[in-house]
Amino acid sequence: MYQYDQLDQAFVDQRVSEFRDQTRRFLAGELSEDEFKLLRLRNGLYIQRHAPMLRIAIPYGLLASRQLRKLGEIARRYDRSFGHFTTRQNLQLNWPKLEDVPDILEQLATVQMHAIQTSGNCIRNVTADHMAGIAEDEVDDPRPYCEIIRQWANLHPEFTYLPRKFKIAVTGSPADRAASEVHDIGLHLRRDKQGNIGFQVLVGGGLGRTPIIGQVIREFLPLPDLLSYLDAILRVYNRYGRRDNIHKARIKILVKSLGIARFRDQVETEWQAARDIAPGLEASQVERVRSFFQPPAYESLQNIDVAAGREPQFQAWYRYNTRPHRVAGYRAAFVSLKAHGQNPGDMSSGQMEAVAALADRVSFGLIRVTHSQNLLLGDVRQSDLYAVWQELRGLGLAMPNIGTLTDMIACPGLDFCSLANAGTLNVAKQIQEQFDDLDYLYDLGDIEIKMSGCMNACGHHHVGHIGILGVDKHGEEWYQITLGGSVNGFTALGEVIGPSVPQAEVASTIERIVEVYRAEREDGERFIETIRRIGVKPFKEGAYATHSQAA
Amino acid sequence: MRRILRRREVVEDDWRLAGEEGGDDAGSPALILPFAEFRTHIAKWRAYPGRLGVRLSPADAAEDLAEDIQRLSLVAAEFPTPGEGRGYTQGRLLRSRLQFKGELRAVGAAVKQDLLFILARCGFDSFELAAGQKVEEALRALDRYSVAYQPAEPVPSIRQQRYSVAG
C-alpha cells in the first residue's frame, strides 16, 4: 500500500499543529462557535447529539494492520472502545472529547492517517471498490488513482470552501462495488484501443433529498488529464453551484439545471482555458504511486475444495462470506460487522486489534473496508480459510450473512446523529430478530436493505433493494419504505411503496414484502429481478395487506 | 485609516473606497470602485487620472475585467463569510488568465488568519484583516505549511510541491 514520503508526512503533521492551535484558540474564546465549526469540520469533527463525533478517513478503504491496531487503540483510549465504519470508508468515533481531538489526530499521523476533509463543504475522502486489485473482472486497480486524487484534494487552495460537500469514487470493475454512480464524480477505469488507461467520467450523482444518478460527461478521459479535468469540473462548480440554498447546492443540481450538454461545454471550455495552471500528471508520478500497489508475494497454488467434508456452518460461511480471487489458491474473506444483535458497521477495539493480528498472519497485513460496512481480508490462502473462520467466529465476526437481507447498511440514526429524524439501530435489531433463521435468509438470497435516519441518506436508502427512511411524524419515529433501488453496475432509485409505517411494524412489513417475492419468483430469480419483472405493485399490496385488514 | 497586511507588511491603506468620506480630497485619490459602478460608467472611469481599483462581489466574473486589467492597480475580492469560496477562483483567474500583476486584496469579515494560507495560494498578496485579528498571528499563518500538492500560486513558505503544471 501507499507509504507517505517526507512531503506527505510533513503535510499531515502541519495539519495537526494547525488544528491544535485552532482548538486552543476556540477553547480560549478567540474563535467563535461558527468560525471554529468550518475549521473543525474540515478535520472530521462534528458536534453530535451527545458528544463530538470524529470521522477518520480510510482512503479507498485500505488499512495496514498497524493502522487498524492504532484505530482500536484510539477507540479504547479516547472513546468507548468501539468505532463505526461508514458507507464511505470512514471510521466514526462517537464519543471523543473535543479537547482530545488534536491528540487523536497526532496519533493518526504516526501511522499515516488523518481526518482531513471528511466533512464540510470540500472534497471528501475518495472511495473505491473493496475488491480493488483482486477482482477477476477489473480493468485496472483503482487505488493508485485514488491516492493521486487524495493528494490533489488535500487542502486544494481553490476548492476548500465549495458550495457543498463533494464526493468522488473510483472503480475499475463494471460491477461498481463503490456506488460510483451516486457520487458527485464517479470515475470508471477504461482502456482505449491502444490499451492506454483512462476514465469514463460521470458527474452529478448523489442521494440526499434529491437523489440523482450521475451522467456521463466524458466517455474517455486519458490518465494524464485526470487532475486537470477534475480541476475544471470543480472550478465550474465552485463558480456556479448554488450557495443560496443548502438543499440545492450539490453539483447534481447545477448539472440538472444546465443539462449535461451545457455543463459539459462549460467544463470543456474551462479545461482548455486552464491548461496553463492545471496540474499535470506525469508518467513517472503515476508509476511512483502505482509501485506501492503491486500484488503481494503470492505463492504458486492451486484452487482447492476447502468446504468439502467440513461442517455446514463453515460451508455457509464459505459460500456467503468469501469471494473469488484472481490468483489461484486464494480467496477474499469478509469480516462481518453484521452479527445479529449488534449495530451494523460497529467494531470493538478488541476486534480491531484481533483482526489486525489475523491480517498479519493470513493476508499480507492488509485489511479493506467495504462500502457495505464490513471489512475484508483480501488475500487469504484457501488452505487458511478454515482456521480464519474459526478465529473470526471466536471474535463474533463470522456471521454468514454477507449479501443477505441482514447484511444491511445503516447510518447511526437518532441514537447518535443530530440530523436524524428517527432511529435506525432499533429497527436494525428488529430486522435481525425477525430474520434470525439463516435457512430463511438463504432462501431469500441476495437482498440489500439500506436504511437512513433522515433524508440526508447516509444509509443510501434510495439505492437499496429495500430502502428504509426514518421520518418524524408528530414526534414519533416512522419509516418510509422504497423498493427496487440498486447500485453495483445497474443504478436505479427505489420507488416509495406507500404511507410510512410505525417503528414496531418495519420488520413485519419487510417480511410481508419478501413473502410476495417468495410467492412470485421464478426459478433462480433474485429479489431485485422479480421487482424489475413484475413491478412494485404486488409488493405494495402485500406490504399493507394486514394493515388494511386491521383498518 | 484601514490597516492592510500587504506583502507581509502592515500599512495604512492608501486607497479610498468610492463614496468614502474624508481624507485628502485634493486631486484624484487612488479609488476602489464596486464592479457594478465601474462597468456602468466605464467611459468615465477609463478616463480617471488616478490609480484605480475594482472590488468584485462573489458572483462577479473575473474575466469581465479582461479589457481593463492593465488599467487597474488593485482588484479586491470579497469574503463576507468563511464559507463563501468563489473569491478563491476569482484570485486564481486574475493571476493566471488575466495575468494581473497588481495588488490582489482579500476583503470582508471572513478575512482572518485561518484562511490566509489558501488565499495566498490563490494569488492574494494583500489582506484587509477583520477586526480583532492579530498581525503577528496573521503573519505566522501565511507560513503555516511548508509543503503542498497543487501547482497553485507560489508562496515563500512552500519548499516542496508534488504536482506541477503539465509542460
Side-chain angles (χ1 to χ4, degrees):
Chain A
M1 76 182 291
Y2 185 73
Q3 298 296 317
Y4 282 9
D5 69 359
Q6 218 183 346
L7 189 162
D8 301 304
Q9 190 66 49
F11 178 75
V12 293
D13 290 345
Q14 289 166 17
R15 180 76 167 195
V16 172
S17 304
E18 177 182 48
F19 189 65
R20 188 179 292 286
D21 184 55
Q22 288 165 341
T23 305
R24 179 192 62 75
R25 280 186 277 134
F26 171 66
L27 294 172
E30 295 170 30
L31 278 172
S32 71
E33 291 268 359
D34 282 351
E35 284 170 331
F36 184 57
K37 181 178 174 187
L38 297 199
L39 304 173
R40 65 172 162 77
L41 285 178
R42 282 160 182 77
N43 289 285
L45 183 61
Y46 283 76
I47 302 297
Q48 287 286 35
R49 191 164 291 275
H50 306 288
M53 180 273 276
L54 181 66
R55 184 182 288 151
I56 297 164
I58 301 164
Y60 37 95
L62 190 60
L63 281 172
S65 57
R66 66 183 186 127
Q67 294 176 321
L68 183 57
R69 208 172 279 120
K70 178 61 83 173
L71 291 174
E73 180 194 317
I74 286 172
R76 181 179 289 113
R77 182 160 165 203
Y78 298 102
D79 204 299
R80 299 186 178 179
S81 296
F82 75 95
H84 174 80
F85 288 97
T86 76
T87 60
R88 295 208 71 261
Q89 299 175 322
N90 297 301
L91 179 79
Q92 295 183 177
L93 297 177
N94 281 309
W95 309 92
K97 288 199 194 71
L98 187 144
E99 56 272 30
D100 285 342
V101 172
D103 291 339
I104 297 175
L105 298 179
E106 188 173 301
Q107 290 288 311
L108 288 172
T110 65
V111 291
Q112 308 191 350
M113 293 187 79
H114 60 73
I116 296 168
Q117 292 168 209
T118 55
S119 57
N121 296 335
C122 52
I123 305 164
R124 301 289 189 89
N125 185 31
V126 54
T127 57
D129 182 358
H130 55 262
M131 293 289 287
I134 56 174
E136 292 173 317
D137 59 351
E138 190 173 79
V139 173
D140 194 15
D141 186 341
R143 294 170 302 178
Y145 315 112
C146 290
E147 174 55 31
I148 288 166
I149 293 168
R150 183 192 75 84
Q151 297 181 10
W152 159 83
N154 263 347
L155 195 58
H156 195 301
E158 193 178 342
F159 307 132
T160 293
Y161 291 94
L162 295 168
R164 197 79 180 87
K165 60 189 170 183
F166 202 93
K167 302 175 181 179
I168 301 175
V170 190
T171 176
S173 150
D176 189 12
R177 284 166 290 258
S180 68
E181 299 188 357
V182 291
H183 278 71
D184 296 282
I185 291 179
L187 296 168
H188 297 171
L189 276 156
R190 294 274 194 274
R191 279 183 196 278
D192 68 8
K193 282 181 191 136
Q194 288 74 45
N196 299 312
I197 286 290
F199 305 88
Q200 183 191 49
V201 184
L202 281 80
V203 69
L207 297 172
R209 64 181 72 200
T210 316
I212 297 180
I213 297 169
Q215 300 182 76
V216 175
I217 182 168
R218 241 326 176 93
E219 274 301 342
F220 188 83
L221 178 73
L223 175 57
D225 296 327
L226 176 64
L227 297 182
S228 61
Y229 199 76
L230 292 178
D231 249 27
I233 293 176
L234 266 297
R235 185 166 300 122
V236 170
Y237 172 54
N238 191 43
R239 297 183 73 175
Y240 303 115
R242 285 182 62 172
R243 291 173 186 265
D244 59 327
N245 180 342
I246 188 175
H247 302 306
K248 298 196 182 298
R250 294 281 293 268
I251 195 173
K252 62 192 173 183
I253 304 295
L254 177 65
V255 174
K256 195 177 162 201
S257 71
L258 289 173
I260 186 68
R262 275 184 64 198
F263 183 77
R264 180 184 296 119
D265 287 348
Q266 290 195 8
V267 170
E268 292 285 332
T269 303
E270 177 55 39
W271 185 56
Q272 295 295 348
R275 293 251 170 208
D276 55 338
I277 56 166
L281 190 51
E282 288 164 26
S284 61
Q285 288 172 319
V286 175
E287 280 318 309
R288 174 183 164 270
V289 177
R290 221 184 241 148
S291 68
F292 291 106
F293 295 91
Q294 292 306 305
Y298 293 119
E299 293 168 41
S300 184
L301 301 168
Q302 301 294 313
N303 282 328
I304 52 173
D305 183 357
V306 294
R310 297 291 190 182
E311 55 266 62
Q313 292 93 328
F314 173 71
Q315 292 183 348
W317 179 81
Y318 178 82
R319 178 173 170 194
Y320 287 92
N321 289 22
T322 71
R323 295 289 178 274
H325 195 291
R326 72 159 65 132
V327 176
Y330 286 84
R331 268 181 100 81
F334 279 96
V335 175
S336 173
L337 303 183
K338 305 297 176 64
H340 292 183
Q342 79 145 52
N343 299 331
D346 279 8
M347 192 174 198
S348 72
S349 290
Q351 288 173 326
M352 290 184 218
E353 286 153 350
V355 168
L358 180 62
D360 280 336
R361 275 180 279 124
V362 304
S363 198
F364 300 100
L366 295 175
I367 303 100
R368 295 139 182 268
V369 180
T370 79
H371 160 66
S372 58
Q373 301 177 288
N374 292 297
L375 304 190
L376 185 76
L377 298 169
D379 306 286
V380 182
R381 280 183 306 214
Q382 291 168 0
S383 56
D384 286 336
L385 283 170
Y386 188 75
V388 167
W389 169 67
Q390 287 180 311
E391 187 157 345
L392 288 176
R393 203 163 57 147
L395 294 167
L397 298 170
M399 182 71 193
N401 62 345
I402 301 301
T404 73
L405 185 143
T406 57
D407 179 19
M408 65 193 125
I409 285 177
C411 72
L414 192 62
D415 293 281
F416 293 102
C417 176
S418 46
L419 300 173
N421 292 319
T424 52
L425 304 179
N426 277 343
V427 178
K429 279 207 176 64
Q430 251 186 59
I431 294 171
Q432 289 162 348
E433 281 163 22
Q434 188 98 11
F435 292 89
D436 200 32
D437 178 349
L438 282 173
D439 289 328
Y440 186 53
L441 272 185
Y442 295 158
D443 178 61
L444 295 171
D446 294 353
I447 298 183
E448 294 175 4
I449 292 187
K450 298 184 178 179
M451 176 165 38
S452 309
C454 76
M455 59 173 75
N456 290 308
C458 295
H460 288 215
H461 62 276
H462 302 291
V463 290
H465 298 167
I466 300 174
I468 304 172
L469 166 65
V471 293
D472 174 86
K473 219 170 171 178
H474 313 297
E476 283 178 32
E477 297 164 50
W478 286 58
Y479 297 83
Q480 189 184 73
I481 294 173
T482 51
L483 283 181
S486 65
V487 277
N488 300 347
F490 182 97
T491 308
L493 302 172
E495 194 178 317
V496 178
I497 60 164
S500 52
V501 300
Q503 190 172 71
E505 286 175 37
V506 176
S508 52
T509 305
I510 288 171
E511 180 157 5
R512 288 192 294 276
I513 288 169
V514 300
E515 279 303 316
V516 174
Y517 160 66
R518 294 206 329 146
E520 297 288 339
R521 67 183 164 189
E522 291 178 348
D523 269 359
E525 193 176 53
R526 295 158 64 225
F527 176 71
I528 186 69
E529 292 161 349
T530 305
I531 297 178
R532 287 179 192 147
R533 178 172 58 82
I534 67 176
V536 302
K537 191 157 172 277
F539 292 92
K540 203 180 224 173
E541 285 161 5
Y544 297 101
T546 54
H547 243 15
S548 40
Q549 279 160 17
Chain B
M1 267 290 188
R2 275 179 300 273
R3 288 196 316 156
I4 302 292
L5 183 63
R6 178 192 290 157
R7 291 177 190 147
R8 296 186 174 245
E9 282 181 26
V10 178
V11 297
E12 298 278 297
D13 194 9
D14 50 349
W15 288 84
R16 180 95 53 85
L17 303 185
E20 205 171 30
E21 295 291 319
D24 178 11
D25 271 334
S28 305
L31 204 57
I32 302 175
L33 304 165
F35 180 55
E37 164 62 26
F38 177 69
R39 194 157 54 173
T40 309
H41 302 110
I42 188 81
K44 169 182 160 192
W45 293 116
R46 278 176 180 160
Y48 184 73
R51 288 192 299 155
L52 211 54
V54 165
R55 176 175 172 134
L56 296 174
S57 296
D60 291 332
E63 296 96 322
D64 290 350
L65 289 175
E67 234 182 293
D68 295 283
I69 200 72
Q70 302 289 352
R71 171 73 184 80
L72 300 176
S73 307
L74 178 149
V75 178
E78 290 175 15
F79 296 85
T81 62
E84 172 54 70
R86 286 173 282 187
Y88 300 100
T89 291
Q90 289 172 335
R92 292 214 72 196
L93 293 180
L94 283 161
R95 289 297 189 212
S96 64
R97 208 155 297 171
L98 274 63
Q99 295 292 313
F100 178 60
K101 306 285 188 231
E103 178 176 343
L104 186 53
R105 182 182 290 188
V107 301
V111 181
K112 298 190 176 180
Q113 59 164 308
D114 293 301
L115 298 184
L116 295 193
F117 181 78
I118 55 174
L119 283 168
R121 291 275 288 150
C122 288
F124 290 88
D125 58 357
S126 155
F127 310 94
E128 185 181 326
L129 292 176
Q133 287 294 291
K134 296 172 191 160
V135 171
E136 279 308 308
E137 291 186 359
L139 280 169
R140 271 205 305 277
L142 281 169
D143 295 328
R144 219 171 253 182
Y145 287 89
S146 69
V147 293
Y149 290 101
Q150 310 81 5
E153 294 294 324
V155 299
S157 68
I158 293 181
R159 316 225 183 293
Q160 224 187 333
Q161 177 184 290
R162 174 67 40 83
Y163 298 102
S164 41
V165 173

